[in-house]
Amino acid sequence: MTSRPLVDPELIAFIEAFPTVNIGAENLAAVRQSRDAALAQLPPFPASVRVEEVFIPGPKGAPDVRLKLYRKKDGAEGPRPAILHLHGGGYIMGNPEFMGPMCALWADAYDAVVVAPAYRIAPETAFPGNVEDAYAALAWANARAADLGIDTARIAVAGESAGGGLAASLALLVRDRGEYSFCHQQLIFPMIDDRTAVRADLSPMFGEFVWTNASNHFGWASLLGQPPGSPDVSPYAAAARAESLAGLPPTFISTGALDLFTEENLEYARRLMAEGVPVELHVYPGAPHAYMQMAGARVTRAYMRDALSALARGLGVDWKD
């Protein structure tokens, strides 16, 4: 059984241009190289945005964390909102440059300070290296808030795929440590439940294209250093493992109806709502994982409208499309 007849006709070219590959130890280096080569095809940033590369102190005993910093050149002098952005890549690849155009758009449209760390990835660094790197970036942004012009009461966390999963886990860690706070979390088809990788009852309508459950299994095993589905997985690695989601910030969750993560995302949204967290949830028909790379598709335009509006509300900024 195939989900191909359900794919939005405007996204057929996308799934044909990016043939699905099951990622494992034998081809990870080649896949990383291919993804990095695609950076040359990214569109230019708005001339109104200044982009800097900064190295900040990492977690105790760990290397410095490289991050990209996006700010509007003629932005307000007073405190501005900020977004901590965490890139995707299945926890095993990727870097902050991949979503550079979106980070620059946020900085320009919202007059926001966008902090995008290059957190350590697996299997070279297993959990908790990734979430501690993200926490270090948040700590740095708070410590430098006066210099950067950041309003610490208006810091959102955002991410796509593994970055969305890491954002959700970081929000849990921030809630539990009680040192800092997020005003909003923006979770785009987040990778939040390692147990999906070992489900025998998962419908074939989910995850046929782009990011398969075979790749998912490898990504989770690499991050956790043990088989996914094990009984002792930390919620700071897989947010769906959290016993309680109470006290988390208002949340925007979106996914595609054909995404591998659809069911875990729906369940996470349900649990958030049941525990009193404001949630805006969108499921886009005919959309596989990472469908937004097809920028001109109507479903992508709908997602962009919804996501930009939700993030603006979460940050408390006046923004119109």
Side-chain angles (χ1 to χ4, degrees):
M1 184 181 295
T2 177
S3 62
R4 188 182 176 95
L6 300 177
V7 176
D8 185 312
E10 292 187 308
L11 299 177
I12 292 294
F14 164 66
I15 63 173
E16 291 179 344
F18 298 93
T20 300
V21 175
N22 290 326
I23 303 172
E26 71 286 349
N27 65 351
L28 177 59
V31 173
R32 284 177 175 174
Q33 185 177 19
S34 174
R35 299 290 176 88
D36 289 346
L39 288 172
Q41 302 174 22
L42 292 178
F45 301 156
S48 57
V49 174
R50 178 171 68 252
V51 184
E52 303 171 67
E53 184 171 86
V54 181
F55 287 82
I56 67 167
K60 186 176 180 180
D64 288 349
V65 178
R66 180 178 72 87
L67 60 81
K68 286 298 183 76
L69 187 63
Y70 302 81
R71 288 180 286 178
K72 197 169 184 176
K73 292 177 182 177
D74 60 351
E77 294 183 5
R80 291 173 284 173
I83 302 164
L84 177 63
H85 177 261
L86 303 168
H87 68 78
Y91 299 119
I92 53 174
M93 56 190 172
N95 56 57
E97 284 76 15
F98 274 110
M99 292 297 290
M102 180 60 72
C103 291
L105 173 62
W106 289 337
D108 189 42
Y110 305 141
D111 191 12
V113 178
V114 183
V115 178
Y119 60 86
R120 287 171 291 169
I121 55 178
E124 292 84 353
T125 301
F127 169 80
N130 62 339
V131 73
E132 292 294 353
D133 285 353
Y135 194 90
L138 176 62
W140 177 83
N142 275 270
R144 294 286 309 278
D147 294 337
L148 296 172
I150 291 175
D151 178 355
T152 57
R154 292 193 294 156
I155 301 178
V157 65
E160 305 80 27
S161 194
L166 183 54
S169 292
L170 180 62
L172 287 164
L173 186 61
V174 166
R175 178 198 66 179
D176 295 346
R177 287 184 176 172
E179 292 182 289
Y180 311 111
S181 64
F182 287 125
C183 66
H184 176 84
Q185 58 177 342
Q186 188 94 347
L187 311 179
I188 311 305
F189 36 71
M191 182 177 172
I192 52 176
D193 196 342
D194 63 294
R195 295 166 296 191
T196 296
V198 294
R199 282 185 57 179
D201 63 339
L202 194 67
S203 168
M205 297 300 102
F206 303 127
E208 181 178 358
F209 303 107
V210 185
W211 184 256
T212 67
N213 219 5
S215 297
N216 197 43
H217 192 286
F218 176 71
W220 278 115
S222 298
L223 176 69
L224 300 175
Q226 62 179 329
S230 297
D232 57 347
V233 172
S234 169
Y236 307 136
R241 296 295 198 117
E243 292 185 5
S244 173
L245 303 182
L248 288 172
T251 305
F252 175 89
I253 298 180
S254 78
T255 190
L258 305 181
D259 199 299
L260 177 65
F261 304 138
T262 300
E263 287 197 358
E264 64 189 64
N265 293 171
L266 292 174
E267 175 60 12
Y268 201 68
R270 185 200 64 78
R271 289 185 59 203
L272 284 164
M273 287 184 275
E275 297 203 57
V277 177
V279 175
E280 180 176 343
L281 171 67
H282 293 266
V283 181
Y284 298 98
H289 197 66
Y291 65 93
M292 299 96 74
Q293 294 186 42
M294 201 71 173
R298 281 171 290 184
V299 67
T300 299
R301 297 199 304 272
Y303 158 76
M304 288 293 291
R305 177 200 65 218
D306 297 335
L308 288 171
S309 296
L311 186 52
R313 290 193 300 274
L315 294 169
V317 300
D318 185 16
W319 177 83
K320 294 182 181 179
D321 188 357

